[in-house]
Amino acid sequence: MDEFSDEDLLSQDNTTTSVINDSRTSFADSKSRPRLLTRAEILDAYEEKLEFKDDKEMVIENVSRVGLAKFARHACKQSIDSALNTVAWKTLGYLNDENGLKEVPDNPEILFSSASDILKSGIEKLDMDCPLFNQVLNGGMKCGTVTEITGESGSGKSQVCLHAASVQAVQGNPVIFLQTESSFPLSRLSQIILERSETEEEINETMNRIFIKKIQSYSHMLSVLNKDIEALIKDRGVKLLIIDSITAIIRGDKDIEDVGERTEILHSVGSKLQVLCNKYKIPVVVVNQVSSAIDYPGHTYGRKVIPSLGPMWTTFINTRLFVSKTDFKVSKE
């Protein structure tokens, strides 16, 4: 990353002028002389107003002293300089002083986020449009996490994925669906969307928000995750990534010769999924199959099967949902 001198920081103005000119904050509405804004208030208001997210983050390349000064009209120069330095420190970890020497902040804590700050920011969740799922997931599917759906054959794993995809698409959120097993159940997806749409136009618009790709092998999966996915997420603002299933490309690929190679592939795929969900703050849903629990040393919760892919795979998932058939029925009554 390029180093920034104080002169660079003074001249840099990458913010959107039209947005700044319209950003007359509520502080200016007071009839009495408003108090001067603090560094924290300037940054919080500025970040909220300009909505830094996705490909535009609150880093030094996107923030300037001129922009902050125009936005925070009732702030002293010292507070504006402090706010700008905070962004620079968090971006670079240091500043260049007048002599070109690296300067670190007096308070190193400024380079970190406190647990309280993270808690206040909250975690965005996607509504599953199903009371039972929302209850189990404590309000919905967490963004920035990997959720595994596992269970025996015919338990409804793919149905959960189709439901999640259709719900998000109906709400206007683009979805990526990577299919590894057989053919994509397009007719079932159409039925689910039809139940949630009123017109043919709505159905077509919803279907156009779901981007499907057939994955042939683990090498194809890695290629898609490393090259194709990010471009689509950025271009269309994708809100959900689904893989049905991860197990098929590992078990069914004859090119995987030994356990060591299998472990390396799982690590590559799992690491990339974590990077994607954290970078773009989207939930990732991955379907996993099950294996017999014979001679399994761990706890099986009374089941005769356990999720496949072994303990190492669990390091890459944040939530595991084990689905199974029951005689219970959910009604709208």
Side-chain angles (χ1 to χ4, degrees):
M1 181 177 291
D2 295 334
E3 297 182 3
F4 290 83
S5 66
D6 191 56
E7 182 179 355
D8 293 329
L9 295 176
L10 280 169
S11 62
Q12 188 177 17
D13 188 4
N14 295 329
T15 53
T16 306
T17 305
S18 60
V19 176
I20 295 173
N21 290 338
D22 294 335
S23 58
R24 298 183 179 276
T25 65
S26 58
F27 299 104
D29 296 333
S30 176
K31 294 182 180 180
S32 60
R33 184 178 179 181
R35 62 180 177 82
L36 296 179
L37 304 181
T38 65
R39 171 189 60 82
E41 288 173 332
I42 294 172
L43 290 177
D44 289 345
Y46 193 61
E47 183 170 9
E48 180 179 357
K49 183 67 179 179
L50 296 187
E51 298 180 345
F52 287 92
K53 55 186 177 181
D54 297 334
D55 60 338
K56 188 173 185 181
E57 303 177 53
M58 183 168 270
V59 294
I60 196 61
E61 290 88 346
N62 295 327
V63 182
S64 71
R65 179 177 280 109
V66 175
L68 288 175
K70 288 182 178 179
F71 178 82
R73 300 178 188 278
H74 300 286
C76 65
K77 181 180 181 299
Q78 182 179 1
S79 295
I80 293 175
D81 289 347
S82 177
L84 185 65
N85 288 344
T86 299
V87 179
W89 276 325
K90 287 190 175 183
T91 303
L92 305 173
Y94 62 86
L95 288 178
N96 286 335
D97 62 14
E98 296 178 355
N99 299 319
L101 300 176
K102 291 183 179 179
E103 177 186 355
V104 298
D106 295 332
N107 181 10
E109 293 179 6
I110 203 170
L111 302 177
F112 299 83
S113 298
S114 68
S116 177
D117 291 337
I118 296 175
L119 185 61
K120 289 177 182 178
S121 65
I123 299 176
E124 184 181 356
K125 297 180 179 180
L126 293 187
D127 180 19
M128 289 289 286
D129 195 27
C130 173
L132 294 180
F133 271 116
N134 284 340
Q135 181 181 6
V136 170
L137 295 171
N138 194 26
M141 195 168 295
K142 291 182 180 179
C143 296
T145 65
V146 177
T147 299
E148 180 193 82
I149 310 293
T150 188
E152 297 183 68
S153 177
S155 59
K157 301 184 294 296
S158 295
Q159 177 71 15
V160 173
C161 293
L162 293 174
H163 172 84
S166 61
V167 166
Q168 293 309 311
V170 167
Q171 295 176 0
N173 298 324
V175 177
I176 295 176
F177 203 120
L178 303 183
Q179 180 75 10
T180 66
E181 299 189 43
S182 62
S183 59
F184 186 84
L186 193 58
S187 59
R188 181 58 186 139
L189 178 67
S190 301
Q191 292 175 358
I192 298 175
I193 293 176
L194 181 61
E195 294 173 357
R196 290 171 166 76
S197 306
E198 297 181 356
T199 65
E200 188 70 25
E201 182 179 0
E202 289 181 359
I203 295 174
N204 292 333
E205 289 179 353
T206 300
M207 295 287 279
N208 286 333
R209 296 188 188 105
I210 301 177
F211 301 93
I212 304 165
K213 192 174 189 65
K214 174 68 175 178
I215 303 298
Q216 307 294 341
S217 63
Y218 76 87
S219 57
H220 186 204
M221 171 70 80
L222 289 174
S223 176
V224 171
L225 291 178
N226 289 321
K227 298 178 181 179
D228 305 336
I229 289 286
E230 290 199 59
L232 186 56
I233 292 176
K234 292 178 181 179
D235 183 61
R236 298 302 300 267
V238 171
K239 296 300 182 182
L240 176 62
L241 170 60
I242 299 173
I243 301 177
D244 185 10
S245 70
I246 186 66
T247 327
I249 60 172
I250 303 298
R251 281 181 172 177
D253 200 315
K254 297 179 180 179
D255 292 335
I256 303 177
E257 298 179 351
D258 53 42
V259 176
E261 185 179 5
R262 174 179 177 271
T263 301
E264 183 179 348
I265 293 168
L266 278 176
H267 186 275
S268 298
V269 173
S271 298
K272 186 59 181 180
L273 293 179
Q274 279 292 332
V275 168
L276 289 172
C277 73
N278 281 286
K279 181 176 181 179
Y280 297 103
K281 303 303 179 186
I282 63 172
V284 175
V285 176
V286 181
V287 172
N288 189 7
Q289 297 172 1
V290 294
S291 304
S292 174
I294 297 175
D295 297 329
Y296 180 68
H299 190 56
T300 64
Y301 301 93
R303 302 186 183 99
K304 296 181 180 180
V305 294
I306 57 173
S308 299
L309 304 183
M312 192 276 290
W313 170 247
T314 63
T315 62
F316 299 109
I317 62 175
N318 305 100
T319 303
R320 169 173 281 163
L321 296 180
F322 199 109
V323 297
S324 58
K325 289 182 178 180
T326 70
D327 294 329
F328 297 106
K329 294 183 179 180
V330 179
S331 65
K332 295 183 180 180
E333 295 180 1

